[in-house]
């Protein structure tokens, strides 16, 4: 297993940008696919973006496609989520998770064990 810590959240105005980081310790981080999820107030957890273990394949939800970019630096054991053109509906706690190797392993998975605690993003209008 790996331990994950998110950072980079905060308060931003509509149309602004933020870059979230997911730093890993322990385990073999470079062998895992990593996903970003979010949980908005009163809503279920939602998938946002995923990247495979090598960083060569990515997958986005419709809400993130075109505005968000996921990337990773395995030497730094960190995955990033660059978020642009932020909207009030992007307000949520963002969590990262590590599971499987391919993006398809983590999208929709029900048995993810490696989760971070989350970082809060608030988009003000």
């Amino acid at each position: 297993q790996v331990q994950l810590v998110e950072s980079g959240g905060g308060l931003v105005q509509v149309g602004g940008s933020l870059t979230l980081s997911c730093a890993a310790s322990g385990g073999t981080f470079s062998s895992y696919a990593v996903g970003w999820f979010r949980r908005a107030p009163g809503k279920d957890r939602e998938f946002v973006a995923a990247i495979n273990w090598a960083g060569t394949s990515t997958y986005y939800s419709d809400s993130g496609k075109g505005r968000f970019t996921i990337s990773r630096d395995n030497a730094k054991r960190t995955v990033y989520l660059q978020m642009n053109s932020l909207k009030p509906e992007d307000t949520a706690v963002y969590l990262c998770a590590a599971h499987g190797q391919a993006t398809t392993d983590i999208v929709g998975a029900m048995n993810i064990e490696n989760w971070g605690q989350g970082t809060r993003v608030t988009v003000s209008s």
Side-chain angles (χ1 to χ4, degrees):
Q1 288 193 338
V2 294
Q3 291 74 48
L4 304 172
V5 178
E6 301 92 339
S7 62
L11 175 65
V12 63
Q13 291 186 334
V14 169
S17 299
L18 278 177
T19 299
L20 307 183
S21 298
C22 172
S25 60
T28 311
F29 175 71
S30 60
S31 67
Y32 284 103
V34 174
W36 282 98
F37 298 76
R38 66 187 183 186
R39 186 169 55 237
K43 295 186 177 181
D44 292 334
R45 189 174 62 211
E46 173 191 17
F47 166 77
V48 175
I51 189 165
N52 72 337
W53 68 276
T56 55
S57 177
T58 58
Y59 185 80
Y60 298 90
S61 66
D62 287 343
S63 60
K65 200 174 301 181
R67 299 188 299 125
F68 296 175
T69 303
I70 188 171
S71 61
R72 69 188 297 161
D73 184 337
N74 283 341
K76 294 183 178 179
R77 299 173 63 89
T78 302
V79 169
Y80 306 96
L81 184 69
Q82 171 72 42
M83 305 188 295
N84 299 323
S85 302
L86 284 163
K87 307 173 182 180
E89 51 264 42
D90 295 317
T91 294
V93 174
Y94 284 72
L95 307 102
C96 64
H99 183 76
Q101 293 190 314
T103 57
T104 50
D105 291 336
I106 198 166
V107 177
M110 301 300 291
N111 58 339
I112 297 174
E113 295 184 343
N114 302 306
W115 288 96
Q117 293 299 309
T119 185
R120 186 176 300 277
V121 173
T122 303
V123 184
S124 65
S125 57

